[in-house]
Amino acid sequence: MENIKNYIDGILTTPYNNNYFNNFDPSTGGVFTMIPDSGEEDVDLAVRSAEKAFPIWAATTVEERSELMMKVASMIRQRLEKFAHAESMDNGKPLWLARSVDIPRAIKNFEFFANAITQFSSESHITDSIAVNYTLRQPVGVVGAISPWNLPLYLFTWKVAPALAAGNCVIAKPSEVTPLTAYLLSEIFIDAGFPQGVFNVIHGHGHRAGKAIVSHPGIKAITFTGGTKTGKDIAAIAAPMFKKLSLELGGKNPTIIFADCNYEEMLETTVRSSFTNQGEICLCGSRILVEKSIYEKFRNDFVQKVKQLRVGDPLLEDSMIGAIVSKQHFDKIMYHISLAMNEGGNILCGGKAVNVPGRCSDGWFIAPTVIENLPSSCRTNQEEIFGPVVTLIPFETEDEAIEIANGTEYGLASILWTENLTRAHNMAALLRSGIVWINCWMLRDLRTPFGGVKNSGVGREGGLEALRFFTEPKNVCVKIK
Ligand code: NAD
Protein backbone atom coordinates (compact mmCIF):
# COMPACT_ATOMS: atom_id res chain seq x y z
CA MET A 1 0.00 0.00 0.00
CA GLU A 2 1.22 3.55 -0.81
CA ASN A 3 2.35 5.92 1.96
CA ILE A 4 -0.28 8.02 3.67
CA LYS A 5 -0.20 11.72 2.76
CA ASN A 6 -1.12 14.93 4.51
CA TYR A 7 -3.95 16.99 3.02
CA ILE A 8 -2.96 20.65 2.96
CA ASP A 9 -4.31 23.50 0.85
CA GLY A 10 -6.49 21.14 -1.15
CA ILE A 11 -3.73 18.73 -2.18
CA LEU A 12 -2.31 15.47 -0.89
CA THR A 13 1.27 16.09 0.08
CA THR A 14 4.37 14.59 1.70
CA PRO A 15 5.56 15.86 5.08
CA TYR A 16 8.02 18.77 5.10
CA ASN A 17 10.85 16.66 6.61
CA ASN A 18 9.99 13.67 4.41
CA ASN A 19 10.06 11.37 7.47
CA TYR A 20 7.61 8.51 7.94
CA PHE A 21 6.91 5.87 10.56
CA ASN A 22 5.27 2.44 10.50
CA ASN A 23 1.55 1.75 10.48
CA PHE A 24 0.76 -1.71 11.85
CA ASP A 25 -2.12 -4.07 11.18
CA PRO A 26 -2.86 -5.25 14.74
CA SER A 27 -4.44 -8.47 13.55
CA THR A 28 -1.19 -9.63 11.91
CA GLY A 29 1.45 -7.51 13.66
CA GLY A 30 2.73 -6.52 10.19
CA VAL A 31 3.46 -3.08 8.75
CA PHE A 32 1.13 -2.21 5.87
CA THR A 33 1.73 1.47 5.23
CA MET A 34 3.81 4.44 6.36
CA ILE A 35 2.58 7.54 8.18
CA PRO A 36 3.96 11.09 7.73
CA ASP A 37 5.89 12.22 10.80
CA SER A 38 4.61 15.78 10.46
CA GLY A 39 5.64 18.72 12.60
CA GLU A 40 5.41 22.47 13.04
CA GLU A 41 6.20 23.29 9.40
CA ASP A 42 3.33 21.18 8.10
CA VAL A 43 0.90 22.61 10.63
CA ASP A 44 2.00 26.15 9.82
CA LEU A 45 1.49 25.55 6.09
CA ALA A 46 -2.01 24.22 6.79
CA VAL A 47 -2.89 27.14 9.07
CA ARG A 48 -1.79 29.66 6.44
CA SER A 49 -3.93 27.95 3.84
CA ALA A 50 -6.89 27.77 6.24
CA GLU A 51 -6.55 31.44 7.18
CA LYS A 52 -6.70 32.34 3.49
CA ALA A 53 -9.76 30.15 2.96
CA PHE A 54 -11.61 31.26 6.09
CA PRO A 55 -13.24 34.53 4.92
CA ILE A 56 -14.48 32.81 1.77
CA TRP A 57 -15.80 29.72 3.59
CA ALA A 58 -17.40 31.76 6.38
CA ALA A 59 -19.22 33.85 3.76
CA THR A 60 -20.79 30.85 1.99
CA THR A 61 -24.50 30.34 2.59
CA VAL A 62 -25.69 27.68 4.98
CA GLU A 63 -27.23 25.87 1.99
CA GLU A 64 -23.91 25.78 0.15
CA ARG A 65 -22.08 24.31 3.13
CA SER A 66 -24.88 21.88 3.85
CA GLU A 67 -24.96 20.64 0.25
CA LEU A 68 -21.20 20.04 0.13
CA MET A 69 -21.31 18.12 3.39
CA MET A 70 -24.19 15.99 2.12
CA LYS A 71 -22.06 15.24 -0.93
CA VAL A 72 -19.22 14.05 1.32
CA ALA A 73 -21.68 11.82 3.22
CA SER A 74 -22.99 10.27 0.05
CA MET A 75 -19.48 9.68 -1.32
CA ILE A 76 -18.45 7.87 1.88
CA ARG A 77 -21.58 5.74 1.50
CA GLN A 78 -20.55 4.84 -2.06
CA ARG A 79 -17.14 3.71 -0.72
CA LEU A 80 -18.43 2.15 2.50
CA GLU A 81 -16.81 -1.23 1.93
CA LYS A 82 -13.39 0.31 1.26
CA PHE A 83 -13.66 2.47 4.39
CA ALA A 84 -14.82 -0.45 6.54
CA HIS A 85 -11.88 -2.61 5.43
CA ALA A 86 -9.45 0.23 6.09
CA GLU A 87 -10.88 0.82 9.58
CA SER A 88 -10.77 -2.85 10.47
CA MET A 89 -7.20 -3.26 9.22
CA ASP A 90 -5.98 -0.13 11.02
CA ASN A 91 -7.73 -0.71 14.33
CA GLY A 92 -8.15 -4.49 14.59
CA LYS A 93 -11.92 -4.23 15.11
CA PRO A 94 -14.18 -6.80 13.43
CA LEU A 95 -14.98 -5.83 9.84
CA TRP A 96 -18.72 -6.35 10.48
CA LEU A 97 -18.54 -3.74 13.26
CA ALA A 98 -16.76 -1.17 11.09
CA ARG A 99 -19.31 -1.84 8.34
CA SER A 100 -22.37 -1.62 10.59
CA VAL A 101 -21.35 1.01 13.15
CA ASP A 102 -18.18 3.05 12.50
CA ILE A 103 -18.61 4.05 8.88
CA PRO A 104 -22.42 4.48 8.92
CA ARG A 105 -22.01 6.75 11.94
CA ALA A 106 -19.35 8.84 10.14
CA ILE A 107 -21.83 9.30 7.28
CA LYS A 108 -24.53 10.23 9.80
CA ASN A 109 -22.23 12.81 11.42
CA PHE A 110 -21.94 14.71 8.13
CA GLU A 111 -25.67 14.37 7.37
CA PHE A 112 -26.68 15.36 10.88
CA PHE A 113 -24.61 18.55 11.00
CA ALA A 114 -25.42 19.42 7.38
CA ASN A 115 -29.06 19.47 8.55
CA ALA A 116 -28.47 20.90 12.02
CA ILE A 117 -26.79 24.04 10.68
CA THR A 118 -29.92 24.85 8.69
CA GLN A 119 -31.88 24.84 12.00
CA PHE A 120 -29.32 26.77 14.06
CA SER A 121 -30.58 30.06 15.50
CA SER A 122 -29.54 32.57 18.11
CA GLU A 123 -31.20 34.53 20.88
CA SER A 124 -32.60 38.04 21.00
CA HIS A 125 -33.53 40.06 24.07
CA ILE A 126 -35.86 43.07 24.18
CA THR A 127 -34.69 45.47 26.91
CA ASP A 128 -37.62 47.39 28.43
CA SER A 129 -38.82 48.60 25.01
CA ILE A 130 -35.66 50.70 24.82
CA ALA A 131 -33.35 48.39 22.97
CA VAL A 132 -33.15 45.16 21.06
CA ASN A 133 -30.22 42.86 21.66
CA TYR A 134 -29.50 40.09 19.26
CA THR A 135 -26.71 37.53 19.28
CA LEU A 136 -24.62 37.00 16.20
CA ARG A 137 -23.15 33.50 16.12
CA GLN A 138 -20.00 33.76 14.01
CA PRO A 139 -17.52 31.00 13.22
CA VAL A 140 -14.44 30.95 15.45
CA GLY A 141 -11.94 30.89 12.56
CA VAL A 142 -9.30 28.19 12.13
CA VAL A 143 -9.90 25.36 14.60
CA GLY A 144 -7.93 22.23 15.54
CA ALA A 145 -9.47 18.77 15.90
CA ILE A 146 -7.49 15.91 17.48
CA SER A 147 -9.00 12.44 17.75
CA PRO A 148 -8.17 8.98 19.19
CA TRP A 149 -7.80 5.49 17.71
CA ASN A 150 -10.74 3.60 19.16
CA LEU A 151 -13.50 4.82 16.81
CA PRO A 152 -11.26 6.48 14.24
CA LEU A 153 -13.50 7.94 11.52
CA TYR A 154 -16.56 8.03 13.78
CA LEU A 155 -14.92 10.43 16.28
CA PHE A 156 -12.85 12.32 13.70
CA THR A 157 -15.98 13.29 11.75
CA TRP A 158 -17.91 14.00 14.97
CA LYS A 159 -15.56 16.99 15.35
CA VAL A 160 -14.89 17.95 11.75
CA ALA A 161 -18.55 18.01 10.61
CA PRO A 162 -19.90 20.58 13.13
CA ALA A 163 -16.79 22.73 12.77
CA LEU A 164 -17.19 22.96 8.99
CA ALA A 165 -20.97 23.36 9.15
CA ALA A 166 -20.55 26.38 11.42
CA GLY A 167 -18.23 28.01 8.86
CA ASN A 168 -14.80 27.29 10.35
CA CYS A 169 -11.70 26.03 8.59
CA VAL A 170 -10.21 22.93 10.17
CA ILE A 171 -6.77 21.50 10.87
CA ALA A 172 -7.47 17.91 11.90
CA LYS A 173 -5.19 15.20 13.21
CA PRO A 174 -6.34 11.60 13.47
CA SER A 175 -4.57 9.22 15.84
CA GLU A 176 -1.19 8.07 14.49
CA VAL A 177 -2.30 4.55 15.41
CA THR A 178 -5.28 4.63 12.99
CA PRO A 179 -4.76 7.29 10.28
CA LEU A 180 -6.09 5.43 7.25
CA THR A 181 -9.76 6.44 7.07
CA ALA A 182 -8.92 10.11 7.67
CA TYR A 183 -6.61 9.83 4.66
CA LEU A 184 -9.41 8.28 2.59
CA LEU A 185 -11.67 11.09 3.75
CA SER A 186 -9.24 13.70 2.46
CA GLU A 187 -9.49 12.06 -0.98
CA ILE A 188 -13.27 12.45 -0.77
CA PHE A 189 -12.96 16.15 0.05
CA ILE A 190 -10.98 16.61 -3.15
CA ASP A 191 -13.52 14.64 -5.20
CA ALA A 192 -16.46 16.49 -3.60
CA GLY A 193 -14.97 19.82 -4.72
CA PHE A 194 -14.43 21.34 -1.30
CA PRO A 195 -12.61 24.70 -1.61
CA GLN A 196 -8.89 24.36 -0.90
CA GLY A 197 -7.70 25.13 2.63
CA VAL A 198 -11.09 24.68 4.28
CA PHE A 199 -10.24 21.21 5.57
CA ASN A 200 -6.68 20.05 6.23
CA VAL A 201 -5.43 16.74 7.64
CA ILE A 202 -2.05 16.52 9.34
CA HIS A 203 -0.76 13.05 10.19
CA GLY A 204 1.80 12.30 12.84
CA HIS A 205 2.66 11.80 16.48
CA GLY A 206 0.78 13.56 19.24
CA HIS A 207 3.87 15.04 20.84
CA ARG A 208 4.96 16.60 17.51
CA ALA A 209 2.09 17.17 15.08
CA GLY A 210 -0.58 17.28 17.80
CA LYS A 211 1.41 19.64 19.98
CA ALA A 212 2.12 21.88 16.98
CA ILE A 213 -1.64 22.20 16.38
CA VAL A 214 -2.37 22.98 20.02
CA SER A 215 0.47 25.56 20.19
CA HIS A 216 -0.15 27.37 16.90
CA PRO A 217 -1.34 30.93 17.59
CA GLY A 218 -3.45 30.93 14.41
CA ILE A 219 -5.66 28.12 15.73
CA LYS A 220 -8.37 29.60 17.93
CA ALA A 221 -10.13 26.54 19.33
CA ILE A 222 -9.15 22.95 20.06
CA THR A 223 -11.55 20.04 20.16
CA PHE A 224 -9.83 16.96 21.56
CA THR A 225 -10.84 13.39 22.36
CA GLY A 226 -8.33 11.08 24.00
CA GLY A 227 -6.68 10.25 27.30
CA THR A 228 -6.99 12.35 30.46
CA LYS A 229 -3.22 12.87 30.76
CA THR A 230 -3.05 14.16 27.16
CA GLY A 231 -6.03 16.44 27.87
CA LYS A 232 -4.13 17.92 30.79
CA ASP A 233 -1.04 18.56 28.60
CA ILE A 234 -3.19 20.18 25.93
CA ALA A 235 -5.00 22.40 28.44
CA ALA A 236 -1.64 23.53 29.88
CA ILE A 237 -0.64 24.91 26.47
CA ALA A 238 -4.01 26.10 25.18
CA ALA A 239 -5.46 27.74 28.31
CA PRO A 240 -2.80 30.49 28.66
CA MET A 241 -3.32 31.22 24.95
CA PHE A 242 -7.06 31.67 25.74
CA LYS A 243 -8.14 29.14 23.15
CA LYS A 244 -11.61 27.66 23.30
CA LEU A 245 -11.27 24.08 24.53
CA SER A 246 -13.46 21.02 24.37
CA LEU A 247 -11.94 17.95 26.03
CA GLU A 248 -13.49 14.48 25.88
CA LEU A 249 -11.31 12.27 28.07
CA GLY A 250 -11.03 8.89 29.79
CA GLY A 251 -13.51 7.00 31.91
CA LYS A 252 -14.10 4.15 34.32
CA ASN A 253 -17.80 3.70 33.80
CA PRO A 254 -19.98 1.78 36.26
CA THR A 255 -22.71 -0.62 35.18
CA ILE A 256 -25.14 -0.84 38.12
CA ILE A 257 -27.44 -3.85 38.15
CA PHE A 258 -30.40 -4.16 40.54
CA ALA A 259 -32.22 -7.42 41.20
CA ASP A 260 -35.46 -5.95 39.83
CA CYS A 261 -34.07 -5.39 36.32
CA ASN A 262 -35.27 -7.04 33.13
CA TYR A 263 -32.69 -9.79 33.59
CA GLU A 264 -32.38 -11.23 30.10
CA GLU A 265 -32.16 -7.86 28.40
CA MET A 266 -29.66 -6.67 31.01
CA LEU A 267 -27.48 -9.75 30.58
CA GLU A 268 -27.35 -9.56 26.80
CA THR A 269 -26.68 -5.80 26.83
CA THR A 270 -24.05 -6.02 29.59
CA VAL A 271 -22.02 -8.44 27.49
CA ARG A 272 -22.11 -5.85 24.69
CA SER A 273 -21.50 -2.83 26.93
CA SER A 274 -18.44 -4.56 28.38
CA PHE A 275 -16.76 -6.01 25.31
CA THR A 276 -17.91 -4.34 22.08
CA ASN A 277 -14.90 -3.13 20.10
CA GLN A 278 -12.62 -5.14 22.45
CA GLY A 279 -13.87 -2.92 25.31
CA GLU A 280 -12.15 0.00 23.58
CA ILE A 281 -15.12 2.38 23.66
CA CYS A 282 -15.09 5.28 26.09
CA LEU A 283 -18.72 4.42 26.95
CA CYS A 284 -18.09 0.76 27.82
CA GLY A 285 -18.86 -0.20 31.41
CA SER A 286 -15.69 -1.51 33.03
CA ARG A 287 -16.90 -1.90 36.64
CA ILE A 288 -20.02 -4.04 36.98
CA LEU A 289 -21.80 -3.39 40.28
CA VAL A 290 -24.32 -6.13 41.07
CA GLU A 291 -26.92 -6.21 43.86
CA LYS A 292 -25.87 -8.93 46.29
CA SER A 293 -29.09 -10.95 46.05
CA ILE A 294 -28.41 -11.78 42.36
CA TYR A 295 -24.61 -11.56 42.40
CA GLU A 296 -23.92 -15.29 42.15
CA LYS A 297 -26.54 -15.92 39.47
CA PHE A 298 -25.32 -12.97 37.43
CA ARG A 299 -21.67 -13.97 37.78
CA ASN A 300 -22.36 -17.49 36.51
CA ASP A 301 -24.62 -16.44 33.64
CA PHE A 302 -22.35 -13.57 32.60
CA VAL A 303 -19.15 -15.60 32.60
CA GLN A 304 -20.85 -18.36 30.61
CA LYS A 305 -21.86 -15.84 27.93
CA VAL A 306 -18.50 -14.09 27.88
CA LYS A 307 -16.72 -17.40 27.34
CA GLN A 308 -18.78 -17.83 24.17
CA LEU A 309 -17.48 -14.60 22.60
CA ARG A 310 -15.25 -15.70 19.77
CA VAL A 311 -11.88 -13.94 19.59
CA GLY A 312 -10.64 -14.14 16.03
CA ASP A 313 -9.61 -12.75 12.66
CA PRO A 314 -11.40 -9.39 12.30
CA LEU A 315 -12.25 -10.25 8.70
CA LEU A 316 -14.42 -13.21 9.74
CA GLU A 317 -18.11 -12.60 10.32
CA ASP A 318 -18.24 -14.73 13.47
CA SER A 319 -15.36 -12.98 15.25
CA MET A 320 -16.98 -11.05 18.09
CA ILE A 321 -13.68 -9.75 19.50
CA GLY A 322 -10.93 -8.57 17.17
CA ALA A 323 -7.33 -7.52 17.80
CA ILE A 324 -6.09 -4.98 20.35
CA VAL A 325 -5.16 -1.80 18.52
CA SER A 326 -1.38 -1.84 19.10
CA LYS A 327 1.42 -3.80 20.75
CA GLN A 328 1.83 -0.97 23.21
CA HIS A 329 -1.83 -1.09 24.21
CA PHE A 330 -1.76 -4.89 24.32
CA ASP A 331 1.14 -4.68 26.81
CA LYS A 332 -0.74 -2.10 28.88
CA ILE A 333 -3.82 -4.32 29.17
CA MET A 334 -1.74 -7.39 30.01
CA TYR A 335 0.04 -5.36 32.68
CA HIS A 336 -3.31 -4.41 34.21
CA ILE A 337 -4.44 -8.04 34.24
CA SER A 338 -1.32 -9.06 36.17
CA LEU A 339 -1.79 -6.07 38.46
CA ALA A 340 -5.34 -7.26 39.19
CA MET A 341 -3.99 -10.68 40.11
CA ASN A 342 -1.38 -9.13 42.39
CA GLU A 343 -4.12 -7.11 44.05
CA GLY A 344 -5.92 -10.35 44.91
CA GLY A 345 -8.33 -10.45 41.98
CA ASN A 346 -9.90 -13.74 41.00
CA ILE A 347 -9.92 -14.21 37.20
CA LEU A 348 -13.24 -15.83 36.29
CA CYS A 349 -12.48 -16.06 32.57
CA GLY A 350 -9.91 -14.77 30.07
CA GLY A 351 -6.86 -13.16 31.64
CA LYS A 352 -4.55 -14.16 28.83
CA ALA A 353 -3.48 -13.50 25.28
CA VAL A 354 -5.13 -15.55 22.53
CA ASN A 355 -3.24 -17.09 19.66
CA VAL A 356 -5.34 -16.87 16.52
CA PRO A 357 -3.87 -19.42 14.09
CA GLY A 358 -3.12 -18.72 10.41
CA ARG A 359 -3.02 -15.20 9.00
CA CYS A 360 -3.37 -13.67 12.48
CA SER A 361 -0.85 -15.79 14.38
CA ASP A 362 1.36 -12.74 15.12
CA GLY A 363 -1.55 -10.44 15.98
CA TRP A 364 -2.38 -8.92 19.36
CA PHE A 365 -5.46 -10.61 20.81
CA ILE A 366 -6.69 -10.82 24.41
CA ALA A 367 -9.48 -13.03 25.72
CA PRO A 368 -12.42 -11.14 27.28
CA THR A 369 -11.60 -11.06 30.96
CA VAL A 370 -13.86 -10.97 34.02
CA ILE A 371 -12.35 -10.39 37.46
CA GLU A 372 -13.94 -10.44 40.93
CA ASN A 373 -12.91 -10.11 44.54
CA LEU A 374 -11.33 -6.67 44.35
CA PRO A 375 -12.14 -3.65 46.55
CA SER A 376 -13.48 -0.65 44.67
CA SER A 377 -10.56 1.45 45.91
CA CYS A 378 -7.81 -0.71 44.31
CA ARG A 379 -5.93 0.42 41.20
CA THR A 380 -7.72 -2.09 38.96
CA ASN A 381 -11.03 -0.48 39.92
CA GLN A 382 -9.72 3.07 39.73
CA GLU A 383 -7.53 3.25 36.61
CA GLU A 384 -8.76 3.18 33.04
CA ILE A 385 -7.73 -0.03 31.27
CA PHE A 386 -9.63 0.53 28.01
CA GLY A 387 -9.65 -3.08 26.91
CA PRO A 388 -11.64 -6.32 27.22
CA VAL A 389 -11.41 -6.38 31.01
CA VAL A 390 -14.23 -5.89 33.54
CA THR A 391 -14.53 -6.34 37.28
CA LEU A 392 -17.54 -7.50 39.29
CA ILE A 393 -18.36 -5.70 42.54
CA PRO A 394 -21.30 -6.70 44.79
CA PHE A 395 -23.35 -4.04 46.63
CA GLU A 396 -26.26 -4.04 49.05
CA THR A 397 -27.96 -0.65 49.02
CA GLU A 398 -28.59 2.21 46.60
CA ASP A 399 -26.36 4.46 48.69
CA GLU A 400 -23.53 1.97 48.52
CA ALA A 401 -23.93 1.62 44.76
CA ILE A 402 -23.80 5.39 44.32
CA GLU A 403 -20.74 5.67 46.52
CA ILE A 404 -18.84 3.03 44.55
CA ALA A 405 -20.05 4.33 41.17
CA ASN A 406 -18.97 7.90 41.98
CA GLY A 407 -15.76 6.83 43.72
CA THR A 408 -13.27 7.36 40.90
CA GLU A 409 -11.65 10.43 39.36
CA TYR A 410 -13.72 9.87 36.21
CA GLY A 411 -17.32 10.73 35.30
CA LEU A 412 -18.12 9.97 31.68
CA ALA A 413 -21.04 7.53 31.60
CA SER A 414 -23.06 5.33 33.95
CA ILE A 415 -25.33 2.43 33.06
CA LEU A 416 -28.24 1.59 35.34
CA TRP A 417 -30.47 -1.49 35.28
CA THR A 418 -33.70 -1.35 37.31
CA GLU A 419 -37.43 -1.49 36.65
CA ASN A 420 -38.08 0.83 39.60
CA LEU A 421 -38.87 4.19 38.03
CA THR A 422 -38.40 6.23 41.20
CA ARG A 423 -35.05 4.66 41.93
CA ALA A 424 -33.94 5.17 38.32
CA HIS A 425 -34.69 8.90 38.33
CA ASN A 426 -33.23 9.46 41.80
CA MET A 427 -30.03 7.64 40.97
CA ALA A 428 -29.68 9.34 37.57
CA ALA A 429 -29.60 12.67 39.41
CA LEU A 430 -27.02 11.43 41.94
CA LEU A 431 -24.60 9.76 39.52
CA ARG A 432 -21.68 12.06 38.80
CA SER A 433 -21.30 11.46 35.07
CA GLY A 434 -22.17 13.36 31.92
CA ILE A 435 -24.29 10.53 30.53
CA VAL A 436 -26.62 8.03 32.22
CA TRP A 437 -28.06 5.10 30.30
CA ILE A 438 -31.11 3.54 31.97
CA ASN A 439 -31.96 0.03 30.81
CA CYS A 440 -29.97 0.53 27.61
CA TRP A 441 -26.50 1.28 26.28
CA MET A 442 -25.19 3.24 23.28
CA LEU A 443 -28.68 4.24 22.25
CA ARG A 444 -27.50 7.46 20.62
CA ASP A 445 -29.45 10.55 19.61
CA LEU A 446 -27.01 12.99 18.02
CA ARG A 447 -28.97 15.99 19.33
CA THR A 448 -28.12 15.19 22.97
CA PRO A 449 -25.21 16.74 24.90
CA PHE A 450 -22.25 14.36 24.99
CA GLY A 451 -19.33 14.58 27.42
CA GLY A 452 -18.02 13.95 30.89
CA VAL A 453 -17.49 15.54 34.30
CA LYS A 454 -14.50 15.42 36.67
CA ASN A 455 -11.40 14.05 34.90
CA SER A 456 -13.50 12.79 31.99
CA GLY A 457 -13.54 16.17 30.35
CA VAL A 458 -14.69 19.72 29.89
CA GLY A 459 -17.47 20.84 27.56
CA ARG A 460 -20.06 18.97 25.57
CA GLU A 461 -20.23 17.74 21.99
CA GLY A 462 -23.34 16.87 20.01
CA GLY A 463 -26.26 18.81 18.51
CA LEU A 464 -26.46 22.49 19.29
CA GLU A 465 -23.72 22.20 21.93
CA ALA A 466 -21.22 21.49 19.16
CA LEU A 467 -22.47 24.33 16.97
CA ARG A 468 -22.24 26.69 19.95
CA PHE A 469 -18.66 25.57 20.63
CA PHE A 470 -17.66 26.24 17.04
CA THR A 471 -19.16 29.74 17.02
CA GLU A 472 -18.45 32.92 18.96
CA PRO A 473 -21.53 34.71 20.30
CA LYS A 474 -21.46 38.47 19.73
CA ASN A 475 -24.15 40.61 21.32
CA VAL A 476 -25.42 43.52 19.25
CA CYS A 477 -27.44 46.12 21.14
CA VAL A 478 -29.67 48.47 19.08
CA LYS A 479 -31.37 51.42 20.79
CA ILE A 480 -34.92 51.67 19.50
CA LYS A 481 -36.30 54.55 21.58
P1 NAD B 1 -4.25 9.78 23.39
O1 NAD B 1 -4.55 10.86 24.38
O2 NAD B 1 -2.98 9.05 23.52
O3 NAD B 1 -4.27 10.35 21.90
C1 NAD B 1 -5.41 10.99 21.37
C2 NAD B 1 -4.94 11.94 20.27
O4 NAD B 1 -4.15 12.96 20.84
C3 NAD B 1 -4.08 11.29 19.20
O5 NAD B 1 -4.40 11.85 17.94
C4 NAD B 1 -2.69 11.68 19.63
O6 NAD B 1 -1.77 11.72 18.57
C5 NAD B 1 -2.92 13.07 20.17
N1 NAD B 1 -1.92 13.53 21.14
C6 NAD B 1 -1.17 12.79 21.98
N2 NAD B 1 -0.36 13.59 22.71
C7 NAD B 1 -0.62 14.85 22.33
C8 NAD B 1 -0.12 16.13 22.72
N3 NAD B 1 0.81 16.25 23.66
N4 NAD B 1 -0.61 17.22 22.12
C9 NAD B 1 -1.58 17.12 21.18
N5 NAD B 1 -2.08 15.94 20.76
C10 NAD B 1 -1.61 14.82 21.33
O7 NAD B 1 -5.52 8.80 23.46
P2 NAD B 1 -5.71 7.44 22.66
O8 NAD B 1 -4.85 6.41 23.31
O9 NAD B 1 -5.62 7.69 21.22
O10 NAD B 1 -7.25 7.11 22.97
C11 NAD B 1 -7.68 6.43 24.09
C12 NAD B 1 -8.23 7.40 25.12
O11 NAD B 1 -9.28 8.18 24.55
C13 NAD B 1 -8.87 6.70 26.30
O12 NAD B 1 -8.47 7.35 27.49
C14 NAD B 1 -10.36 6.88 26.08
O13 NAD B 1 -11.14 6.88 27.24
C15 NAD B 1 -10.39 8.23 25.44
N6 NAD B 1 -11.63 8.43 24.70
C16 NAD B 1 -12.55 9.30 25.20
C17 NAD B 1 -13.75 9.50 24.54
C18 NAD B 1 -14.78 10.47 25.06
O14 NAD B 1 -15.71 10.78 24.33
N7 NAD B 1 -14.66 10.95 26.28
C19 NAD B 1 -14.00 8.81 23.34
C20 NAD B 1 -13.04 7.93 22.87
C21 NAD B 1 -11.85 7.76 23.54
Side-chain angles (χ1 to χ4, degrees), residues 146-150 155 173-176 204-207 210-211 214 224-227 230 233-234 248-251 282 384 386 412 450 456:
I146 301 176
S147 58
W149 48 255
N150 65 319
L155 291 176
K173 194 193 93 58
S175 168
E176 64 275 33
H205 291 294
H207 61 87
K211 194 171 173 194
V214 175
F224 167 78
T225 298
T230 314
D233 294 345
I234 288 175
E248 302 293 335
L249 310 177
C282 56
E384 185 182 48
F386 213 55
L412 185 56
F450 182 95
S456 288

Side-chain angles (χ1 to χ4, degrees), residues 30 51 67 71 73 78 95 104-105 139 193 214-215 258 287 294 303 308 317 332 334 344 377 383 390 421 432 444 452:
E51 281 174 338
E67 258 175 45
K71 200 166 169 190
Q78 283 161 14
L95 174 60
R105 172 59 192 276
V214 175
S215 316
F258 283 92
R287 296 177 295 147
I294 58 160
V303 167
Q308 287 164 9
E317 285 299 306
K332 179 191 158 182
M334 293 307 287
S377 57
E383 296 176 13
V390 295
L421 196 60
R432 293 187 63 206
R444 291 284 288 120

Side-chain angles (χ1 to χ4, degrees), residues 151-329:
L151 301 167
L153 193 68
Y154 177 134
L155 291 176
F156 187 75
T157 53
W158 182 231
K159 297 177 175 305
V160 167
L164 292 173
N168 300 282
C169 291
V170 180
I171 315 294
K173 194 193 93 58
S175 168
E176 64 275 33
V177 185
T178 53
L180 198 48
T181 46
Y183 173 54
L184 297 181
L185 183 68
S186 47
E187 290 179 341
I188 282 191
F189 269 71
I190 296 172
D191 295 347
F194 247 79
Q196 65 193 60
V198 171
F199 174 57
N200 304 271
V201 185
I202 303 288
H203 293 276
H205 291 294
H207 61 87
R208 271 170 54 75
K211 194 171 173 194
I213 291 173
V214 175
S215 316
H216 199 293
I219 296 181
K220 304 301 178 194
I222 301 289
T223 170
F224 167 78
T225 298
T228 295
K229 163 78 175 69
T230 314
K232 213 181 266 184
D233 294 345
I234 288 175
I237 295 174
M241 297 176 83
F242 306 110
K243 296 190 179 195
K244 266 186 131 177
L245 264 181
S246 168
L247 303 173
E248 302 293 335
L249 310 177
K252 190 76 182 172
N253 306 320
T255 303
I256 308 167
I257 300 169
F258 283 92
D260 68 2
C261 68
N262 177 333
Y263 190 82
E264 288 311 316
E265 197 179 342
M266 174 280 295
L267 188 64
E268 186 263 326
T269 309
T270 303
V271 173
R272 281 196 302 115
S273 66
S274 305
F275 297 112
T276 300
N277 205 46
Q278 300 72 247
E280 298 165 340
I281 300 183
C282 56
L283 299 171
C284 279
S286 51
R287 296 177 295 147
I288 306 180
L289 283 52
V290 189
E291 194 171 2
K292 226 170 207 163
S293 60
I294 58 160
Y295 182 82
E296 233 168 86
K297 175 176 167 49
F298 172 79
R299 177 185 59 193
N300 297 341
D301 293 345
F302 184 64
V303 167
Q304 193 192 351
K305 279 204 178 291
V306 172
K307 280 180 175 166
Q308 287 164 9
L309 294 174
R310 192 171 176 282
V311 180
D313 185 341
L315 297 180
L316 299 179
E317 285 299 306
D318 63 348
S319 294
M320 298 309 291
I321 310 267
I324 300 299
V325 72
S326 65
K327 176 70 168 65
Q328 192 189 7
H329 196 53

